[in-house]
Amino acid sequence: MSDGPLDVIGDVHGEIDALQALLAQLGYARDGRHPGGRRAVFVGDLCDRGPDSPAVLDLVMDWVQASRAQCVLGNHELNVLLGEPKHGNGWFFDRNHELANGEFLNSRAATPGRRAAWIAFLERLPLALVRDDLRVVHACWDEAALARLGPLLAAGASCGSACADLDRSARDLLRGSGINARAAREVQAYRHAFKDRRAELPLLPACAEEATLLQNANPVKVITSGLEAPSERPIWAGGRWRMTQRARWWNDYGDRPAVVMGHYWRRDARAAPEAVTGDWDYPLGDYGAYDWMGPRRNVFCVDYSVGGRYAERARGEGPPWQTRLAALRWPECELAFDDGERRVLAKP
């Protein structure tokens, strides 16, 4: 990671107007230069859900390739690399799967030429950025996962290909356990309900066990979307019912360097829960909206849920937004928001 002062920017999710406003607030020129020698660092999830993922990807790609910014891979970029249709990423594919459910219809679509350029860019993104005083990941700092990935990535594998190989290995192990067969029966019994938010599902224990094992056995997924555990009830998230919940790994993080991450849809103090996370799993609830977390108070989530603006728009709402884009200015430990607010934090 670059030496000197940084601005660590949370999940953008295609909200180009918010990103441009925040960068202007921080003093960046359009080409990524900063008069104070600062460097932008993006925590991933540049794309999906918002109105203009192509513009966000182009901006960040241009800055990174000019060595004026850095970026780690998020789970939404990983989905693109894997070619996996997910909630909010229909804009990327030739056949937009969002059209069937009428969501994200105003999201600017990818073109074949740009798609190839973005894939080449995303394949080269690191999973973590590190210096003596700071670590940046998208979702989870996990020493064991990073150690497992070291030899794979050193051998030249991209994160996407490594993830696919690790997924296949995990599924091979599951086939001999009987868990996947039990999970398949549960899915078959409730197949019409998994994408219906109004449906009432019981907790499906085999599905929960299978999903937990597949997530935690894949170190790429651990770093980009976190450790998981079976939940106590079904949780609606990402357009479907899930049987797992996010593990609070930061409560066990005892290292000296601070960690800054995104991913977890942090609720601003001024935001109503239903405007951001609704009934999603919200693992940050043990801490205040602007608190450092963990036993050493040195882990910070800088994702203030700007990706939720699509839902605000769908409700006919507009500025002032309840969801915002933020940057953590390091080492000053000051939060800057796209609407111009600044907030000084306690230092870890």
Side-chain angles (χ1 to χ4, degrees):
M1 185 157 41
S2 302
D3 296 329
L6 306 172
D7 296 302
V8 186
I9 297 171
D11 307 31
V12 183
H13 281 300
E15 294 288 345
I16 186 62
D17 290 345
L19 177 59
Q20 291 174 334
L22 177 61
L23 293 172
Q25 293 285 346
L26 293 169
Y28 286 89
R30 295 180 69 87
D31 65 358
R33 299 178 193 270
H34 193 283
R38 305 187 71 86
R39 185 72 62 89
V41 176
F42 294 86
V43 302
D45 279 9
L46 305 173
C47 58
D48 299 351
R49 297 195 174 100
D52 204 339
S53 293
V56 174
L57 283 167
D58 279 341
L59 185 153
V60 176
M61 182 172 67
D62 288 347
W63 286 23
V64 170
Q65 291 177 341
S67 299
R68 294 177 188 144
Q70 292 178 283
C71 182
V72 297
L73 191 75
N75 59 300
H76 281 256
E77 288 81 39
L78 181 61
N79 292 335
V80 164
L81 287 177
L82 295 173
E84 293 186 352
K86 297 282 187 176
H87 189 246
N89 74 359
W91 67 274
F92 184 80
F93 297 97
D94 282 331
R95 296 182 63 183
N96 185 342
H97 55 277
E98 307 289 359
L99 299 180
N101 56 20
E103 285 191 285
F104 310 110
L105 300 183
N106 295 319
S107 293
R108 181 181 164 203
T111 61
R114 298 311 297 152
R115 192 181 294 127
W118 297 324
I119 288 291
F121 166 63
L122 297 176
E123 284 180 337
R124 295 192 296 272
L125 289 183
L127 287 170
L129 292 168
V130 180
R131 69 186 204 186
D132 288 346
D133 60 338
L134 186 64
R135 298 166 171 176
V136 175
V137 291
H138 181 65
C140 179
W141 181 268
D142 188 272
E143 295 279 2
L146 290 167
R148 282 187 63 197
L149 284 170
L152 285 172
L153 301 181
S158 72
C159 289
S161 62
C163 183
D165 290 344
L166 290 160
D167 256 354
R168 283 190 288 269
S169 297
R171 290 186 184 280
D172 288 343
L173 289 173
L174 273 175
R175 286 192 188 97
S177 70
I179 296 171
N180 60 330
R182 297 199 304 274
R185 289 194 292 271
E186 291 177 347
V187 170
Q188 179 65 19
Y190 293 94
R191 64 189 183 280
H192 299 302
F194 267 92
K195 294 191 176 183
D196 181 358
R197 189 168 188 166
R198 297 165 298 178
E200 294 185 6
L201 278 74
L203 183 69
L204 306 177
C207 283
E209 188 175 3
E210 179 186 54
T212 299
L213 289 171
L214 288 174
Q215 176 71 16
N216 295 349
N218 189 325
V220 178
K221 290 186 174 180
V222 168
I223 302 302
T224 57
S225 51
L227 293 161
E228 295 185 1
S231 58
E232 296 179 355
R233 60 177 179 84
I235 295 168
W236 179 264
R240 65 183 179 90
W241 288 104
R242 299 173 187 264
M243 305 294 154
T244 59
Q245 62 186 2
R246 294 161 169 174
R248 292 157 171 78
W249 63 268
W250 45 86
N251 287 334
D252 298 314
Y253 178 76
D255 292 355
R256 181 184 60 81
V259 176
V260 180
M261 61 182 177
H263 186 63
Y264 291 98
W265 290 75
R266 193 164 203 171
R267 281 203 296 262
D268 208 334
R270 69 183 188 176
E274 59 272 15
V276 181
T277 54
D279 58 358
W280 292 24
D281 175 28
Y282 187 60
L284 309 183
D286 296 337
Y287 297 91
Y290 313 107
D291 289 348
W292 290 88
M293 304 183 300
R296 298 180 68 128
R297 293 297 193 269
N298 65 345
V299 177
F300 196 85
C301 177
V302 73
D303 174 19
Y304 281 91
S305 303
V306 73
R309 284 191 186 176
Y310 82 92
E312 292 189 73
R313 293 188 190 97
R315 294 192 297 268
E317 300 168 7
W321 302 103
Q322 294 195 56
T323 56
R324 296 195 282 178
L325 182 64
L328 178 67
R329 305 179 76 232
W330 184 267
E332 298 88 345
C333 291
E334 179 187 54
L335 274 180
F337 292 93
D338 65 292
D339 61 3
E341 183 184 345
R342 297 289 180 102
R343 181 178 290 267
V344 178
L345 307 177
K347 292 195 174 183

